[in-house]
Amino acid sequence: MPIFKDNQQGIYLKKGDTGNIGISGIPTDKSYSVYMSIYNEDTNTILKEILMSNYNQPEGTGSFIIDTTISDSLPVGEWVYAIKICASGSEDTIIPKTRVEDGVIVNYPAPKFTVD
């Protein structure tokens, strides 16, 4: 079965499934290392961190390759994920979004990552 992405950036997969998770909107000003962290909010722990394999810096796009080893290693449940970019000693989270509005920091909720 393929990996699904919904309109709210949520991801769904079954253990053992394989596929690619495409991401766009990565800044194009530097050549970044891009990571997806699958996170358990209840225990405040990262379950898995995956390095983007197919990164196209001039277009700001890429994909995370999910093979059987990765999907089998994830526990069944509803988790969240984040995307971070790293370059020149800096690390910035781009998903979930955070912005400043009228001097107040607004944190958007992290998108779901469901393993069935």
Side-chain angles (χ1 to χ4, degrees), residues 24-90:
S24 60
I26 301 165
T28 58
D29 60 327
K30 297 178 186 172
S31 182
Y32 290 99
S33 295
V34 184
Y35 297 88
M36 172 186 282
S37 297
I38 302 162
Y39 189 77
N40 180 338
E41 290 183 303
D42 294 335
T43 62
N44 201 28
T45 57
I46 294 174
L47 302 172
K48 180 67 81 177
E49 192 163 76
I50 307 163
L51 176 63
M52 181 175 277
S53 299
N54 300 324
Y55 173 48
N56 184 325
Q57 189 262 334
E59 293 184 12
T61 61
S63 60
F64 296 96
I65 297 172
I66 306 298
D67 61 18
T68 305
T69 303
I70 292 172
S71 66
D72 277 342
S73 71
L74 293 169
V76 170
E78 283 202 5
W79 318 113
V80 295
Y81 73 92
I83 306 293
K84 69 178 179 181
I85 55 174
C86 304
S88 306
S90 70

Side-chain angles (χ1 to χ4, degrees), residues 95-109:
I95 296 176
K97 293 180 182 179
T98 300
R99 64 186 174 96
V100 177
E101 185 176 296
D102 297 325
V104 176
I105 296 174
V106 178
N107 293 310
Y108 289 82

